[in-house]
Amino acid sequence: MKRRAAPKKFLLKRPAFWIVLILIVALGSAAVAHEMLTRLANREAAVKTISKPKPKPVKLTAAEKKVAKKYYLSPRVTAKAHAAKVTAIGDSVMVDIKPEIKQVFPHVLVNGAVGRQFYDLPNITQSLKAENKLADNVVVNLGTNGPPEKADVSRFLKVVGNKRQVYWINTHVPSQKWEGKTNRLIAATAKSHRNVHMVDWHDFSEGQTNFFASDGVHLQTNGAIAYVALLAKTMAE
């Protein structure tokens, strides 16, 4: 008597079917993923190979080249400083550096006075504004003769407004107890106002005794050069 053949298993119930199906799906996914990654890589490569226009070289006049060399400035910084319209307000340190700042910033109005305090600044600024002499860039060098008060800072910033840029040079008066207070207030003001920038003369000049006269505050010629150069570089950032 012949033996009957075992009935064939339904296809979906066979383990081999599922193994083959899983392999097909996995290989298909891998192929799709590979294709996507290849396209992405090609796209990034295409972006990288797009030639970006090179910035035009800055051309300086003969006089500007001398300034760049004297103050160790790049052509870009020199050109920006040469074109900038600046109002500089300060104390005796500002008086000291007047020749240097005029050399680097030919369109600067310097308003400096010996012994000037920060509380004088709001009224001075208001007067200059009324006379249409308050430029888009306002440089402040005050705090040497005493610490500024927050109320005076607020009054000054209100006069200046939000569109002008303020460059506040911090102080180097190691013999006076208000040096730290003044510089902390300058740093805090710069941090909380987008148009106020601290020029960190204190840290830059730390240990540079050859920059200063015997009082450690007023500047020798090389100190004045470094002072104005730092200002120009900060303004160009």
Side-chain angles (χ1 to χ4, degrees):
M1 185 176 178
K2 293 183 179 179
R3 295 182 62 184
R4 292 183 180 179
K8 295 182 179 179
K9 291 185 178 180
F10 188 61
L11 185 61
L12 295 177
K13 293 183 179 181
R14 293 185 179 182
F17 169 80
W18 290 106
I19 292 171
V20 172
L21 183 62
I22 290 169
L23 288 172
I24 290 171
V25 172
L27 290 172
S29 299
V32 171
H34 176 72
E35 184 179 355
M36 291 177 66
L37 290 171
T38 302
R39 287 182 181 179
L40 182 60
N42 291 338
R43 184 177 177 181
E44 290 180 352
V47 171
K48 289 179 180 179
T49 55
I50 295 174
S51 58
K52 295 182 180 179
K54 294 182 179 179
K56 294 181 179 179
V58 178
K59 294 183 179 180
L60 302 180
T61 65
E64 288 170 343
K65 288 178 181 178
K66 289 180 180 180
V67 169
K69 183 177 181 181
K70 179 178 178 179
Y71 292 86
Y72 303 97
L73 301 176
S74 69
R76 182 184 68 86
V77 173
T78 305
K80 282 196 170 188
H82 183 84
K85 294 181 179 179
V86 181
T87 301
I89 307 169
D91 51 32
S92 55
V93 175
M94 184 65 73
V95 175
D96 287 348
I97 67 163
K98 187 174 181 178
E100 286 79 13
I101 197 170
K102 278 183 167 291
Q103 202 168 37
V104 176
F105 298 91
H107 303 294
V108 64
L109 170 68
V110 180
N111 187 305
V114 176
R116 181 176 281 170
Q117 295 278 358
F118 195 89
Y119 54 69
D120 296 318
L121 182 62
N123 290 337
I124 293 169
T125 308
Q126 184 63 62
S127 296
L128 290 170
K129 186 177 182 181
E131 296 170 8
N132 200 28
K133 294 180 179 178
L134 196 63
D136 292 337
N137 301 289
V138 181
V139 174
V140 177
N141 152 241
L142 287 169
T144 302
N145 301 305
E149 298 295 333
K150 290 182 179 180
D152 294 322
V153 175
S154 297
R155 287 177 57 213
F156 161 67
L157 293 178
K158 187 175 181 180
V159 174
V160 169
N162 296 325
K163 293 183 179 180
R164 292 182 179 86
Q165 300 300 308
V166 177
Y167 297 90
W168 192 351
I169 306 168
N170 65 9
T171 60
H172 186 280
V173 279
S175 62
Q176 301 297 338
K177 60 184 179 181
W178 61 74
E179 181 194 68
K181 179 182 178 181
T182 298
N183 291 341
R184 285 191 295 272
L185 180 56
I186 295 171
T189 304
K191 189 175 182 180
S192 59
H193 294 78
R194 294 181 64 181
N195 66 319
V196 179
H197 315 275
M198 181 178 74
V199 182
D200 198 354
W201 172 244
H202 178 271
D203 281 6
F204 184 81
S205 62
E206 190 69 25
Q208 301 292 334
T209 55
N210 61 322
F211 283 178
F212 300 97
S214 58
D215 61 2
V217 177
H218 295 90
L219 302 173
Q220 306 270 27
T221 300
N222 56 346
I225 290 171
Y227 192 95
V228 175
L230 178 64
L231 173 61
K233 291 173 183 176
T234 303
M235 290 180 66
E237 289 176 357

